Amino acid sequence: MNAVYLSPAFCSANGVLITGIDEKRVSFGMLHPEDTALQARIKKEYAEYLCVFTVIPPEEFNLKLSQLYAEENPDENAVQSNGGEDSRASVIDKIADDAPVINLLNSIFLEALAKKASDIHIESGKEHTRLRFRIDGILVFIRIIPTERALAVSARLKLLANLNVLENRRPQDGHIDISAEAYSLDVRISITPTIWGESIVLRLLNRSDVPLSIGALGFSAGYQASISAILSMASGLVLVTGPTGSGKTTTLAALLQELNKTALKIISIEDPVEYRIEGITQIQVNEELDLTFDAALRRIFRQDPDIIMVGEIRDTETAELAIRAALTGHLVFATLHTNNAPESIYRLQNMGIPFYMVAAVLRASIAQRLIRKKCTACNAAGCSVCAGTGYAGRTVIAEILVMTTVLADLISRGIQAEELRRTLEQGGHRTLFDDAEEKVRAGITTGEEIKRELGVPL
């Protein structure tokens, strides 16, 4: 009787793995259970067994596959190094065909995907290398990697990204495209030398992800009217603001998804393209080829767009071009780094856009943050589901400022920030803190989480 075994490479390529073996019955989990040809191949190979096929969720598949790759690793000390350039070169010479290193790297990627990590951190230390994932915005320790194996992983990543494999004294940046049955990744690599070796950060952009709907992002019910108003706008500038990692790109993708109709030409300029949306013309910024935000924005006017999305307004030139596009009848979406919605008015003014121009084109500003939600399995007490953190998943807290005639008139006359804040407060404007308080009262999150994100207790 043939032993039932599927290699990690076969599992990854075909989206199938073994989930259980019981005497003469074998259970297989499939990402695509409708693939009857694959089922027939497996049944023929293991004809003496009863083969049962069921659907398996992608997250569970990736986690099991990562464990399968890890089990394929032989002794962790198989790749030895005594330090120095000669031993380093000997390790590098072996990495191209070193199956244990390839399996280890695959297992790291798959485990990160299964745990919904946004970043992988591989950090050299004095005696060993630490592996951490950023999950729900927080770095979580995963495990220790022997320094010799971490050195080979670093070299493997450099090889895949076409970087200098022998260079370990200067920073290097690059990216890798990884495609498998279970996932498709654009991996951004940042490598920086440290006193103990290298710090490697891998930003994971899962091209298999589809944009969430606006309703799934977690905006409070009180903001639905404002969001509907934004989606019905014909022209002008709509800003989504917040610090790095606050979900701005996800919100923009969801808005564009809602507006993605055959009657509209939508063009986005992004760095990087995080969500691939069928029906939208998406442009990847490439500064090495002088395809910057402002350079791309100048050229897309000839593409006859109705809606333009600018991934980030970074400088005065990009701001001026976005304003020009909004003035000429286009609906322009863009991101900006500000702490709250009213502050975006003064950020544009600091970039050289006069107040009267801001008042003429700005239609709305959405400021947002991502906060962790209480784990529903343990109610924030800490359990295996949330890895003891008490939190699982994230939602948005927001502040939405929709321009009115009265507000535009005040801005055009150069209203000061403090006076604008008082005016909005008197008009019942909801701030980030108001939205955060509502989420705490509803039991969605905790006051401690709001303090961590906003810096003040509720």
Side-chain angles (χ1 to χ4, degrees), residues 55-332:
V55 65
I56 184 171
E59 293 82 6
E60 184 180 348
F61 179 88
N62 286 334
L63 186 56
K64 287 183 180 295
L65 186 56
S66 73
Q67 295 165 349
L68 188 59
Y69 270 115
E71 290 167 2
E72 288 283 298
N73 287 337
D75 182 9
E76 288 291 342
N77 296 314
V79 178
Q80 295 288 345
S81 170
N82 297 317
E85 292 300 320
D86 291 341
S87 60
R88 175 180 170 81
S90 68
V91 172
I92 291 171
D93 287 341
K94 296 172 64 177
I95 61 171
D97 297 315
D98 187 4
V101 172
I102 295 171
N103 287 344
L104 174 59
L105 191 55
N106 285 338
S107 73
I108 291 172
F109 280 132
L110 288 162
E111 186 176 357
L113 282 173
K115 294 182 176 178
K116 294 183 169 61
S118 61
D119 302 83
I120 297 170
H121 289 244
I122 304 172
E123 302 160 324
S124 296
K126 183 178 180 180
E127 298 178 352
H128 52 247
T129 297
R130 179 172 59 173
L131 175 66
R132 295 195 291 173
F133 294 163
R134 188 172 293 280
I135 302 172
D136 292 337
I138 303 295
L139 276 174
V140 177
F141 172 78
I142 302 300
R143 61 178 175 270
I144 296 298
I145 302 175
T147 298
E148 296 81 7
R149 187 55 55 85
L151 177 63
V153 166
S154 170
R156 178 73 184 171
L157 287 168
K158 291 173 184 176
L159 189 69
L160 293 172
N162 294 318
L163 301 177
N164 186 341
V165 178
L166 292 172
E167 179 60 72
N168 66 337
R169 295 172 298 177
R170 294 184 178 88
Q172 296 192 77
D173 295 318
H175 82 277
I176 305 170
D177 288 317
I178 302 175
S179 295
E181 176 66 24
Y183 60 94
S184 177
L185 287 177
D186 179 4
V187 182
R188 300 301 171 101
I189 302 176
S190 173
I191 303 176
T192 299
T194 72
I195 60 172
W196 301 120
E198 293 176 321
S199 171
I200 304 173
V201 178
L202 309 174
R203 167 60 58 89
L204 307 182
L205 304 176
N206 190 352
R207 292 194 297 254
S208 305
D209 286 346
V210 295
L212 295 172
S213 66
I214 284 292
L217 293 180
F219 282 100
S220 300
Y223 286 137
Q224 297 309 309
S226 297
I227 292 172
S228 296
I230 291 170
L231 291 171
S232 65
M233 292 172 180
S235 63
L237 176 64
V238 176
L239 295 174
V240 180
T241 77
T244 300
S246 59
K248 300 186 296 294
T249 300
T250 300
T251 296
L252 281 176
L255 289 169
L256 293 184
Q257 183 90 312
E258 292 283 338
L259 294 167
N260 190 13
K261 302 170 184 175
T262 55
L264 295 173
K265 172 79 169 185
I266 303 175
I267 301 179
S268 73
I269 308 168
E270 305 172 62
D271 183 25
V273 176
E274 293 193 29
Y275 297 96
R276 282 156 170 74
I277 308 175
E278 188 68 29
I280 293 179
T281 302
Q282 296 176 277
I283 299 171
Q284 169 71 57
V285 167
N286 189 332
E287 295 189 358
E288 291 181 0
L289 299 177
D290 293 325
L291 186 60
T292 58
F293 278 110
D294 56 297
L297 193 49
R298 281 195 214 94
R299 286 162 176 76
I300 66 171
F301 289 118
R302 298 180 182 178
Q303 290 285 309
D304 189 29
D306 296 293
I307 298 172
I308 299 170
M309 193 271 267
V310 182
E312 183 181 348
I313 296 179
R314 295 177 176 173
D315 49 43
T316 298
E317 192 165 10
T318 304
E320 290 174 345
L321 287 166
I323 295 293
R324 172 188 160 193
L327 283 171
T328 53
H330 302 92
L331 180 58
V332 180

Side-chain angles (χ1 to χ4, degrees), residues 219-452:
F219 282 100
S220 300
Y223 286 137
Q224 297 309 309
S226 297
I227 292 172
S228 296
I230 291 170
L231 291 171
S232 65
M233 292 172 180
S235 63
L237 176 64
V238 176
L239 295 174
V240 180
T241 77
T244 300
S246 59
K248 300 186 296 294
T249 300
T250 300
T251 296
L252 281 176
L255 289 169
L256 293 184
Q257 183 90 312
E258 292 283 338
L259 294 167
N260 190 13
K261 302 170 184 175
T262 55
L264 295 173
K265 172 79 169 185
I266 303 175
I267 301 179
S268 73
I269 308 168
E270 305 172 62
D271 183 25
V273 176
E274 293 193 29
Y275 297 96
R276 282 156 170 74
I277 308 175
E278 188 68 29
I280 293 179
T281 302
Q282 296 176 277
I283 299 171
Q284 169 71 57
V285 167
N286 189 332
E287 295 189 358
E288 291 181 0
L289 299 177
D290 293 325
L291 186 60
T292 58
F293 278 110
D294 56 297
L297 193 49
R298 281 195 214 94
R299 286 162 176 76
I300 66 171
F301 289 118
R302 298 180 182 178
Q303 290 285 309
D304 189 29
D306 296 293
I307 298 172
I308 299 170
M309 193 271 267
V310 182
E312 183 181 348
I313 296 179
R314 295 177 176 173
D315 49 43
T316 298
E317 192 165 10
T318 304
E320 290 174 345
L321 287 166
I323 295 293
R324 172 188 160 193
L327 283 171
T328 53
H330 302 92
L331 180 58
V332 180
F333 292 90
T335 72
L336 199 63
H337 286 279
T338 67
N339 291 321
N340 54 58
E343 195 176 300
S344 60
I345 296 165
Y346 302 97
R347 180 78 177 105
L348 289 174
Q349 194 267 338
N350 290 337
M351 285 183 162
I353 309 301
F355 279 125
Y356 74 86
M357 192 71 74
V358 176
V361 301
L362 185 62
R363 296 291 179 266
S365 179
I366 303 172
Q368 65 178 64
R369 302 286 193 282
L370 291 178
I371 56 167
R372 293 180 296 169
K373 297 189 293 184
K374 286 165 55 173
C375 176
T376 56
C378 64
N379 196 28
C383 65
S384 59
V385 174
C386 61
T389 65
Y391 300 92
R394 290 193 287 181
T395 190
V396 68
I397 55 173
E399 174 183 20
I400 302 181
L401 176 64
V402 177
M403 193 64 66
T404 64
T405 303
V406 172
L407 192 56
D409 182 58
L410 291 173
I411 293 169
S412 66
R413 291 192 275 116
I415 186 172
Q416 296 301 303
E418 184 59 28
E419 184 183 352
L420 176 61
R421 186 192 64 78
R422 287 197 301 269
T423 301
L424 291 171
E425 189 177 283
Q426 292 167 3
H429 175 72
R430 283 167 51 91
T431 67
L432 272 169
F433 298 98
D434 294 329
D435 197 37
E437 284 181 339
E438 181 179 319
K439 291 280 200 301
V440 172
R441 287 195 302 270
I444 296 171
T445 190
T446 65
E448 290 77 13
E449 173 64 7
I450 298 302
K451 181 180 179 181
R452 183 194 67 80

